[in-house]
Amino acid sequence: MTEPSTAARLLARLRLHGWSVAVAESLTGGLVVSSLVGVPGASASLRGGVVAYDTAIKQSVLGVDAALLGRHGPVHPEVARQMAEGVRRALSVAGRPADLGIATTGIAGPESPDGQPVGTVHVGIATPDRSGVVSFLFDGDRARIREAACEAALRAALDAISE
């Protein structure tokens, strides 16, 4: 028998806590939500996702600080943290934010628009009690970096609610 995927383990943990999850994605472009949706029963916990590929959407939909975006651009740890917090609010139901927010931002390549290394990824995680960021530098082509970022986001979320 194969071991459950990280997405399946995350959803099982969310169900155990009675928690919901919302996802904001930039470089992963929906891969995180797709991984979750691929697990039977995901609808018990998954609120949905926002693909905020355009920097303006990070600000207008997710509430990322405009001055932060102006100073550092969309690939920055604090942007990831604010995206995770913002998606919890953006996907509120009946005035109740999602319990867990996951966010990805980074540079998948093949070139970097701002001089940061290709493969730079920041994953934001937000819960009702805290928020934080885990940063990575992945090797590989565009597809490999996006896949690694997706798996890293799922693992970071699982770690955050397993503590």
Side-chain angles (χ1 to χ4, degrees):
M1 188 162 168
T2 62
E3 183 177 314
S5 68
T6 307
R9 292 193 334 264
L10 174 59
L11 288 165
R13 181 64 54 129
L14 289 166
R15 280 191 301 277
L16 189 68
H17 287 290
W19 275 20
S20 59
V21 60
V23 184
E25 300 185 66
S26 188
L27 86 149
T28 50
L31 289 175
V32 176
V33 167
S34 181
S35 294
L36 294 168
V37 168
V39 177
S43 62
S45 300
L46 179 61
R47 290 258 177 104
V50 173
V51 176
Y53 204 70
D54 187 315
T55 300
I57 300 302
K58 291 173 181 68
Q59 180 187 352
S60 66
V61 174
L62 299 175
V64 175
D65 181 65
L68 172 68
L69 291 166
R71 275 191 315 273
H72 298 288
V75 181
H76 188 272
E78 180 62 13
V79 171
R81 190 187 67 74
Q82 289 186 20
M83 287 173 65
E85 290 178 348
V87 78
R88 289 185 64 229
R89 292 186 302 271
L91 298 185
S92 291
V93 173
R96 183 172 179 250
D99 299 294
L100 175 65
I102 304 170
T104 62
T105 189
I107 302 169
E111 297 175 7
S112 174
D114 65 3
Q116 293 185 68
V118 170
T120 299
V121 173
H122 304 292
V123 174
I125 301 292
T127 69
D129 300 323
R130 65 183 185 272
S131 61
V133 179
V134 185
S135 298
F136 303 91
L137 183 58
F138 295 117
D139 289 325
D141 63 11
R142 183 175 177 81
R144 176 67 192 119
I145 291 167
R146 292 178 66 234
E147 289 168 8
C150 175
E151 180 65 18
L154 293 168
R155 286 184 187 279
L158 183 59
D159 289 348
I161 63 171
S162 295
E163 296 174 347

